[in-house]
Amino acid sequence: MTEDSIASRPLLEQVRSGDGVPAHIAIIMDGNGRWAGERGWPRFMGHREGMKSVRRVVTGCLAMGVGHLTLYAFSKENWARPAEEISALMKLLSEYVEREKQELAEKGVRVKVIGDRSRLSPAALVSVDSIEAATTGGDRLVLQLAISYGSRDEILAAARGLAVRCAAGELEPLEITETSFSEALFTAGSPDPDLLIRTSGEMRVSNFLLWQIAYSEIYVTPVLWPDFGEVDLYEAVLEYQRRERRFGRVTR
Ligand code: IPE
Ligand code: IPE
Ligand code: MG
């Protein structure tokens, strides 16, 4: 058990005895570059350190009994970063897969990669395929890694797919519902996130899960992603448990 796990135990107990654990948590993992910059280090060192935070939030979700976790690892817009940073990130993806896939499988985590795979390098594709294949049997936690992901792209792809089925006479336009549209997205099979966390204090959604977060509770923390651990995750869930979710209704 890590130091973080020990320090976070009382908070975990509080979460467990509290009012409902989110079925799905989505996280915009931001602030790696600033974390490295504060130390005078190159940006990729922040990305490398951030992988430890990924481990910690997976551990935390398993401990709380959260069934779905979606992590924004690389956006479609991130392709505009310097080639050097992109290649460092893709290398880290392969390292993560090699290091974690077996343990994830043993812990009952099923990994799904969501995003535009056509832009991934052959090596990155091999990693993505191998972690998905190694973890297909996982039934405790669905871990969706958003890589080369853009929500507008995802929505367009869903709309096109449904339009093609309509043109082929398989579907009537009026049969397109919120449910069938959701099922045409990359995230098909996962409920909408109950809680969206963004680290590093930025108050924006950066093209992440635009359809799915229609009624998510949003939690922004100033903590930079490489510093984020189980304590921070449980604090976010405790704050979520204190919120009153009204979904437009009047409750008192
Ligand atoms: C998040 O950290 C990771 C990715 C977007 C890949 P950043 O790299 O955006 O770090 P900051 O926001 O520059 O600190
Ligand atoms: C969002 O972070 C994307 C990921 C965390 C992967 P960015 O750092 O790329 O987003 P902006 O530039 O602050 O919107
Ligand atoms: Mg950023």
Side-chain angles (χ1 to χ4, degrees):
M1 187 164 288
T2 64
E3 244 174 67
D4 186 40
S5 290
I6 295 164
S8 63
R9 267 257 187 95
L11 287 176
L12 174 60
E13 289 313 316
Q14 235 179 294
V15 166
R16 283 183 173 148
S17 56
D19 196 11
V21 168
H24 183 175
I25 298 178
I27 309 183
I28 303 175
M29 311 186 286
D30 198 16
N32 296 350
R34 275 163 283 171
W35 185 91
E38 281 174 359
R39 289 158 179 79
W41 296 347
R43 292 178 59 85
F44 90 90
M45 300 277 280
H47 299 314
R48 158 156 291 154
E49 192 67 22
M51 298 207 302
K52 296 182 188 161
S53 304
V54 171
R55 265 187 84 91
R56 295 191 287 256
V57 294
V58 168
T59 302
C61 284
L62 287 167
M64 287 186 288
V66 169
H68 302 260
L69 172 66
T70 302
L71 300 177
Y72 204 5
F74 189 84
S75 74
K76 201 191 130 211
E77 288 74 22
N78 290 149
W79 287 115
R81 291 192 179 195
E84 203 179 65
E85 182 170 350
I86 295 173
S87 80
L89 280 163
M90 293 300 149
K91 253 182 81 190
L92 285 175
L93 169 67
S94 301
E95 278 179 32
Y96 174 80
V97 166
E98 282 323 304
R99 181 153 11 98
E100 306 281 334
K101 70 178 176 192
Q102 172 129 13
E103 198 180 322
L104 288 169
E106 284 164 9
K107 287 182 171 161
V109 179
R110 178 153 64 94
V111 178
K112 272 176 65 183
V113 174
I114 59 173
D116 177 7
R117 294 184 188 211
S118 71
R119 295 183 73 173
L120 296 181
S121 68
L125 268 178
V126 167
S127 297
V128 162
D129 289 343
S130 93
I131 197 163
E132 286 185 336
T135 60
T136 43
D139 58 3
R140 286 179 70 201
L141 173 66
V142 175
L143 171 59
Q144 297 184 119
L145 298 177
I147 297 171
S148 186
Y149 174 88
S151 183
R152 285 189 167 189
D153 258 13
E154 177 188 38
I155 291 169
L156 271 180
R160 287 196 190 110
L162 293 167
V164 165
R165 290 180 53 204
C166 286
E170 290 169 25
L171 187 69
E172 288 295 325
L174 283 175
E175 286 168 0
I176 300 173
T177 61
E178 289 195 13
T179 306
S180 65
F181 199 88
S182 294
E183 288 305 304
L185 297 169
F186 294 142
T187 50
S190 284
D192 288 341
D194 299 295
L195 174 63
L196 171 69
I197 298 173
R198 182 164 188 155
T199 57
S200 88
E202 304 293 358
M203 300 283 185
R204 53 178 171 264
V205 291
S206 302
N207 202 12
F208 188 46
L209 304 178
L210 301 179
W211 168 279
Q212 297 90 332
I213 61 172
Y215 253 111
S216 303
E217 293 298 322
I218 299 178
Y219 179 88
V220 176
T221 169
V223 174
L224 302 177
W225 179 249
D227 291 327
F228 195 88
E230 281 177 71
V231 167
D232 304 282
L233 179 68
Y234 301 147
E235 277 174 354
V237 173
L238 288 168
E239 159 73 20
Y240 163 85
Q241 290 178 335
R242 288 191 290 270
R243 302 253 181 107
E244 188 195 5
R245 300 185 81 187
R246 284 191 290 273
F247 299 102
R249 291 188 283 261
V250 175
T251 53
R252 357 173 161 250

